[in-house]
């Protein structure tokens, strides 16, 4: 069974990028009255304690949400950043940052009961899927949210196209097994054939591994072949000085030591690129450390 547990990484810089983009996309898609279906193929546990043993062990949120929220920049942040900080703050009404919402809770907070928006979640890990189910139950969201302890790549097949004909698919594997990279590409290829107008959002780690390097290139090719617009964004916060020399090129660093990640979207909202171009330099200003800082937004 997999050993990856998102609790160790919750609220890190990669979550900041992913969830900031996720909020912008869901907000855009829910601005229209028609129902939206969001399918989260790799949902995680849903909610994470930032003061838990997991989070304390890795301390990754310190270089992510906690740093961003404590920055003076938070007071006059660009829309994407302030929307993100406000949403996370809703889970922490006391003002102390104790809880971090994962993608299912980030999404659900923006969905509408009256429009009959739906959230479909897949999580394979026995402990995390149990935690997810318990967390979702507290929402009392009824039939809006459904969870399956199944392979998300497989489960997605049965859900496309959704009856609502409007959908966002979030694919956020842990890439613990190399085959995840290939499965993401195959999944996007098949999904675009079944449901070409859906919005697809893939997260991936930027690491010196051929599969990770190849994935965004493959996704660009697939989007271009399907004649669909795409957007590719990466955030590289640079290595902290004490970790700079510990990484051997060619080897996969543990995700704990991850310094960069990317999000690739097919059929992104047209408003996303300018919003990211405004937000990312500010995020980097706060989260960036040492050398190697970089950010990019490319679009077709
Ligand atoms: N999307 C979550 C978020 O942003 O809060 C984080 C997800 S975490 C990066 C990846 C999750 O996928 C892990 O909880 C792991 O147990 C789960 N997982 C791994 N392989 C899976 C598969 N084939 N189908 C469904 N879930 C899987």
């Amino acid at each position: 069974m997999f050993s990856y547990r998102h609790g160790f990484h919750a609220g890190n810089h990669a979550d900041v990028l992913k969830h900031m983009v996720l909020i912008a996309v869901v907000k855009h898609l829910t601005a229209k009255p028609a129902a939206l279906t969001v399918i989260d193929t790799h949902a995680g546990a849903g909610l994470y304690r930032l003061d838990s043993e997991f989070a304390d062990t890795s301390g990754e949120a310190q270089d992510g949400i906690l740093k961003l929220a404590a920055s003076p920049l938070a007071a006059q942040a660009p829309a994407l950043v302030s929307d993100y900080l406000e949403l996370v703050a809703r889970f922490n009404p006391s003002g102390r940052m104790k809880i971090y919402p994962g993608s299912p809770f980030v999404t659900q907070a923006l969905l509408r009961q009256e429009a009959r928006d739906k959230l479909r979640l897949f999580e394979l890990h026995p402990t995390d899927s149990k935690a997810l189910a318990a967390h979702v139950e507290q929402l009392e969201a009824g039939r809006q949210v459904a969870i399956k302890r199944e392979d998300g790549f497989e489960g997605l097949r049965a859900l496309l196209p959704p009856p609502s004909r409007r959908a966002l698919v979030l694919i956020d594997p842990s890439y613990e097994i190399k085959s995840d990279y290939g499965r993401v590409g195959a999944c996007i290829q098949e999904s675009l054939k079944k449901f070409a107008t859906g919005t697809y959002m893939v997260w991936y780690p930027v690491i010196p591994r051929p599969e990770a390097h190849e994935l965004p290139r493959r996704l660009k090719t697939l989007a271009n072949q399907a004649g669909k617009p795409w957007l590719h964004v990466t955030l590289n916060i640079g290595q902290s000085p004490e970790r700079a020399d510990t990484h051997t090129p060619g080897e996969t660093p543990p995700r704990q030591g991850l310094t960069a990640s990317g999000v690739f979207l097919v059929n992104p909202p047209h408003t996303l690129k300018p919003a990211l171009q405004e937000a990312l330099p500010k995020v980097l200003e706060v989260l960036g450390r040492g050398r190697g800082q970089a950010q990019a937004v490319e679009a077709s």
Side-chain angles (χ1 to χ4, degrees), residues 153-209:
F153 295 115
E154 288 294 327
L156 174 63
R157 289 199 161 125
L159 297 183
L160 294 183
S164 63
R165 290 274 162 184
R166 298 184 68 240
L168 164 66
V169 178
L170 170 64
I171 305 177
D172 179 26
S174 42
Y175 299 94
E176 206 181 344
I177 34 176
K178 254 204 271 184
S179 57
D180 272 350
Y181 294 96
R183 291 191 82 191
V184 170
C187 176
I188 291 290
Q189 185 171 29
E190 184 183 333
S191 300
L192 279 172
K193 279 188 190 139
K194 286 177 104 169
F195 181 49
T197 54
T199 297
Y200 297 88
M201 175 174 162
V202 172
W203 180 91
Y204 72 96
V206 176
I207 51 175
R209 164 168 228 163

Side-chain angles (χ1 to χ4, degrees), residues 275-296:
L276 278 165
Q277 280 172 331
E278 186 197 8
L280 283 178
K282 298 287 175 194
V283 173
L284 254 185
E285 213 176 297
V286 180
L287 301 188
R289 46 186 199 190
R291 287 174 296 147
Q293 299 170 18
Q295 49 106 347

Side-chain angles (χ1 to χ4, degrees), residues 266-278:
V266 184
N267 294 321
H270 64 277
T271 47
L272 187 56
K273 186 181 170 192
L276 278 165
Q277 280 172 331
E278 186 197 8

